[in-house]
Amino acid sequence: MKWLSVLPQQCILLMTCLLMALEAVPIDIDKTKVKGEGHVEGEKVENPDTGLYYDEYLRQVIDVLETDKHFREKLQTADIEEIKSGKLSRELDLVSHHVRTRLDELKRQEVARLRMLIKAKMDSVQDTGIDHQSLLKQFEHLNHQNPDTFEPKDLDMLIKAATSDLENYDKTRHEEFKKYEMMKEHERREYLKTLDEEKRQREESKFEEMKKKHGDHPKVHHPGSKDQLKEVWEEADGLDPNEFDPKTFFKLHDVNNDGFLDEQELEALFTKELEKVYDPKNEEDDMVEMEEERLRMREHVMNEVDVNKDRLVTLEEFLRATEKKEFLEPDSWETLDQQQLFTEEELKEFESHISQQEDELRKKAEDLQKQKEELQRQHDQLQAQKQELQQVVKQMEQKKLQQGNPPAGPAGELKFQPPGEHKVGDAPKHPAGGDQPLPPGHVQEPAARTDQVHP
């Protein structure tokens, strides 16, 4: 199972963040003190994949709407409730004809893509007579009843679908990670069952040793605390820790200069902490667990800092968080290795589910094997019938030859002429007096007798 190292940029205001593209307020900072190359002014930052199946369509709609000045201005003054309620979507009626035409074309392309997906899925199960139009109802990010034009309802549905899907994205990732950990434990225990007592004890000792080695790491700072941010300021940014300034820190790590710290920009702040615990070169360190740890850190900071729950951190929210007691005197942070990820009951339920799936797969495999054997039997039977027919034909040909009847060709013609037999009109010509046939009406004179005496 391969885990993404990045998450969706935002949930409720995914479109808002990209559409606004506001310029950040310049700050006085000596870039020569910052390690590495800084962000180039005006440089386009590539946004990570949201993980949605309609990600490309979402991005294309955003790019087109971003070109309309009126819609852009309305968006800058809209609040989160206006966006979620659909009020902002009604502003689509006021955008330019050129923008609407491009949106219409994008929607037609997306509908065509979805229809192809449906057809491919149905063809894979050999189903026919499917009403593809009715099946488009399962896709909630566009109005399937109008496949040709992009209307305010389409924008409203796209925003709400992205909001709902991205809100559930983190929950789905946590569930998948839990299954991953239970599968690891299940496979370990199954492997131990195959060993004798001595080898089993060695494996158990090695497992405990690896756990201990993994847990032996430097202290991990509480995510979002002053100590954690100062460490980034000093080691990643190359700045004097005694000159730490929250406002400057925010501006410096707002990489795309949109006025927010989004989920990816927050997660980048935890790299130094994660490196204390996880090293890809170490056998005992699991990189899948590192990404789960990164997700937990980001969620924790969002819960403490993101006041309006729009999955974006504004400068105001960030500065307000730095004034809290938790920022200066945080609780200790427990890493994954210090927590119980699942209970024995949950593991048993998971193993029961795995066993049920294995039984179903085994039954399908047996059915397929029976089908294969039946097909092989039918194939062998047909081959036997074919050989029998070939033998009969061969015997018939031999019988014809024995009876003097030459075998006939496909059209009934003779394949060869037996000796002494000729077709009519094919008799060879002979000199006079020979055996050449006489013309019609001519009477052949009797041959002269050799014993007759002539005077």
Side-chain angles (χ1 to χ4, degrees):
M1 179 171 55
K2 181 179 181 181
W3 288 75
L4 299 174
S5 59
V6 295
L7 295 174
Q9 183 170 358
Q10 62 261 5
C11 174
I12 297 174
L13 288 181
L14 173 68
M15 300 180 67
T16 308
C17 176
L18 296 178
L19 283 166
M20 291 175 68
L22 298 174
E23 294 297 329
V25 179
I27 57 176
D28 294 329
I29 180 171
D30 186 358
K31 294 291 184 180
T32 61
K33 296 182 180 180
V34 182
K35 297 179 181 178
E37 296 180 0
H39 175 65
V40 179
E41 185 70 21
E43 179 184 1
K44 185 176 180 179
V45 178
E46 187 69 21
N47 293 304
D49 193 331
T50 62
L52 303 177
Y53 66 89
Y54 50 90
D55 176 80
E56 183 65 21
Y57 174 64
L58 176 63
R59 293 178 185 280
Q60 290 174 338
V61 170
I62 291 172
D63 290 340
V64 172
L65 288 173
E66 192 178 16
T67 63
D68 187 85
K69 182 179 179 181
H70 169 77
F71 193 90
R72 188 187 181 100
E73 291 175 350
K74 286 291 182 180
L75 185 60
Q76 291 178 0
T77 58
D79 57 29
I80 184 62
E81 291 304 324
E82 288 179 326
I83 295 174
K84 293 178 66 175
S85 66
K87 182 178 180 180
L88 180 67
S89 301
R90 293 192 287 270
E91 296 295 331
L92 186 67
D93 291 328
L94 303 179
V95 302
S96 66
H97 175 71
H98 176 64
V99 170
R100 290 297 292 271
T101 301
R102 291 172 63 189
L103 291 174
D104 292 346
E105 180 60 26
L106 287 177
K107 184 179 178 181
R108 286 192 290 268
Q109 292 175 3
E110 178 69 359
V111 171
R113 183 185 73 88
L114 296 176
R115 284 173 174 165
M116 288 178 62
L117 289 176
I118 293 174
K119 184 178 185 303
K121 181 178 180 180
M122 294 305 169
D123 289 346
S124 66
V125 295
Q126 299 180 348
D127 202 344
T128 57
I130 300 299
D131 184 2
H132 292 175
Q133 183 64 25
S134 64
L135 289 177
L136 285 172
K137 292 187 293 185
Q138 64 184 295
F139 303 110
E140 300 180 350
H141 65 287
L142 51 72
N143 179 17
H144 69 281
Q145 295 179 343
N146 175 20
D148 299 317
T149 59
F150 191 96
E151 303 296 336
K153 184 176 181 180
D154 290 288
L155 181 58
D156 184 43
M157 293 180 69
L158 184 59
I159 293 174
K160 290 180 178 179
T163 298
S164 175
D165 292 341
L166 291 175
E167 283 178 343
N168 295 324
Y169 192 78
D170 290 347
K171 180 181 178 181
T172 302
R173 282 194 59 186
H174 287 310
E175 292 174 352
E176 291 298 323
F177 172 74
K178 188 173 182 178
K179 291 179 181 178
Y180 168 79
E181 288 293 322
M182 288 192 290
M183 179 59 77
K184 278 202 317 182
E185 179 62 17
H186 168 70
E187 291 178 346
R188 188 184 74 85
R189 294 185 182 186
E190 290 298 310
Y191 173 67
L192 291 176
K193 292 178 182 179
T194 65
L195 305 177
D196 56 38
E197 185 63 26
E198 182 180 354
K199 291 182 178 180
R200 188 182 304 114
Q201 290 180 358
R202 286 204 302 265
E203 284 295 325
E204 289 284 15
S205 298
K206 180 180 177 181
F207 177 72
E208 293 299 328
E209 181 182 348
M210 297 282 280
K211 283 179 59 177
K212 182 178 180 181
K213 188 176 180 181
H214 173 69
D216 185 17
H217 54 73
K219 178 184 177 181
V220 177
H221 293 303
H222 192 96
S225 66
K226 184 176 182 179
D227 290 338
Q228 191 259 312
L229 298 184
K230 282 183 66 176
E231 189 173 58
V232 175
W233 173 275
E234 179 180 6
E235 297 187 13
D237 301 333
L239 300 175
D240 188 346
N242 297 321
E243 298 178 1
F244 175 77
D245 177 62
K247 184 176 181 180
T248 302
F249 183 91
F250 181 95
K251 300 297 183 181
L252 186 60
H253 291 275
D254 178 16
V255 180
N256 58 2
N257 291 332
D258 63 355
F260 302 96
L261 289 182
D262 58 41
E263 294 179 350
Q264 278 66 52
E265 290 166 339
L266 278 178
E267 289 183 358
L269 302 179
F270 311 135
T271 300
K272 289 294 179 182
E273 299 303 314
L274 294 170
E275 288 176 350
K276 297 177 181 178
V277 186
Y278 300 94
D279 186 342
K281 298 178 182 179
N282 295 337
E283 182 184 359
E284 68 273 10
D285 297 337
D286 189 335
M287 295 301 103
V288 175
E289 295 179 357
M290 184 186 74
E291 294 307 320
E292 174 69 8
E293 192 78 75
R294 189 191 304 273
L295 174 58
R296 291 178 61 243
M297 289 180 172
R298 187 256 295 166
E299 285 183 322
H300 176 77
V301 173
M302 278 292 188
N303 290 333
E304 289 190 343
V305 180
D306 183 22
V307 178
N308 61 357
K309 305 304 177 184
D310 61 358
R311 300 171 74 100
L312 295 167
V313 177
T314 64
L315 175 60
E316 181 181 359
E317 290 173 330
F318 183 78
L319 295 179
R320 190 182 304 126
T322 61
E323 299 173 355
K324 296 180 179 179
K325 179 181 179 181
E326 292 78 9
F327 180 74
L328 300 175
E329 301 176 5
D331 297 330
S332 60
W333 176 257
E334 290 187 356
T335 54
L336 285 173
D337 56 280
Q338 298 173 304
Q339 298 184 356
Q340 183 180 12
L341 302 179
F342 52 84
T343 64
E344 279 296 321
E345 289 74 14
E346 290 174 326
L347 180 60
K348 289 181 180 179
E349 183 179 354
F350 177 77
E351 290 179 326
S352 174
H353 181 66
I354 292 295
S355 177
Q356 182 180 354
Q357 288 182 326
E358 290 176 347
D359 291 340
E360 292 175 356
L361 290 175
R362 190 180 301 109
K363 185 177 183 302
K364 289 181 179 179
E366 292 174 354
D367 292 341
L368 289 174
Q369 182 63 28
K370 290 179 180 179
Q371 293 177 16
K372 178 182 176 181
E373 293 173 355
E374 176 62 21
L375 290 174
Q376 185 64 44
R377 186 189 67 79
Q378 294 178 5
H379 173 75
D380 295 342
Q381 187 177 10
L382 290 174
Q383 285 295 108
Q385 293 176 358
K386 179 181 177 181
Q387 293 176 0
E388 184 178 350
L389 288 174
Q390 290 175 342
Q391 186 66 24
V392 170
V393 171
K394 184 177 180 181
Q395 292 174 356
M396 291 177 64
E397 296 290 345
Q398 292 176 350
K399 186 175 182 180
K400 286 181 180 180
L401 289 174
Q402 292 173 357
Q403 293 176 352
N405 296 327
E413 73 278 5
L414 295 177
K415 290 185 178 181
F416 64 89
Q417 296 291 341
E421 294 188 11
H422 302 283
K423 291 182 180 179
V424 177
D426 292 342
K429 295 181 180 180
H430 299 280
D435 295 333
Q436 182 177 6
L438 298 177
H442 180 78
V443 179
Q444 183 178 4
E445 296 180 358
R449 297 180 57 179
T450 59
D451 60 349
Q452 185 176 3
V453 178
H454 297 278

